[in-house]
């Protein structure tokens, strides 16, 4: 699990179970922590520019995850009857080869989907 912070406040976690290696993007279901309440409104209403939240990601060892940006995209107000609310964490611009080291399953899925010619 990766920890998502807004400044120094832990706002949630994500396994970052999906991604696009060609763009250095890892994303996944966001699981809110107590600190999420302070940024929830911004994450629901502003998907375009969350730079003011100073979002960052850290590995399970607590090390910063180098990237260009982190976003929390809260779609919970768009949940349809009977479906659970969905909130996604996205980490953008993770440099290679670190991406391949952290997310080998993303690399394998990408290679299977887009085989070399």
């Amino acid at each position: 699990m990766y920890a998502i912070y807004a400044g120094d406040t832990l706002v949630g976690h994500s396994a970052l179970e999906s991604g696009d290696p060609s763009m250095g993007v890892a994303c996944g279901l966001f699981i809110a922590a107590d600190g999420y309440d302070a940024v929830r409104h911004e994450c629901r209403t502003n998907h375009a520019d969350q730079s003011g939240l100073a979002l960052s990601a850290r590995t399970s060892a607590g090390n910063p995850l180098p990237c260009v940006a982190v976003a929390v995209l809260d779609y919970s107000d768009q949940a349809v009857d009977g479906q659970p609310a969905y909130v996604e964490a996205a980490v953008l611009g993770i440099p290679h080869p670190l991406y391949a080291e952290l997310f080998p399953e993303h690399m394998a899925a990408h290679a299977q989907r887009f085989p070399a010619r």
Side-chain angles (χ1 to χ4, degrees):
M1 291 295 274
Y2 293 85
I4 309 298
Y5 283 81
D8 293 329
T9 303
L10 176 66
V11 295
H13 294 90
S14 178
L16 300 177
E17 64 273 8
S18 313
D20 181 346
S22 65
M23 296 185 63
V25 173
C27 55
L29 181 65
F30 175 81
I31 301 162
D34 291 341
Y36 183 59
D37 287 341
V39 297
R40 181 183 314 263
H41 178 74
E42 185 74 10
C43 295
R44 281 184 178 172
T45 59
N46 182 4
H47 292 176
D49 180 6
Q50 296 179 346
S51 58
L53 297 177
L55 295 172
S56 64
R58 296 184 192 170
T59 66
S60 59
N63 299 319
L65 180 56
C67 64
V68 173
V70 175
V72 176
L73 308 173
D74 189 326
Y75 298 102
S76 58
D77 60 346
Q78 299 173 25
V80 179
D81 293 336
Q83 293 183 346
Y86 185 73
V87 183
E88 177 180 86
V91 182
L92 314 170
I94 301 167
H96 293 277
L98 178 61
Y99 190 99
E101 179 183 320
L102 294 174
F103 305 105
E105 66 283 358
H106 299 187
M107 299 295 290
H110 188 268
Q112 185 176 22
R113 186 169 180 203
F114 302 103
R117 295 183 180 189

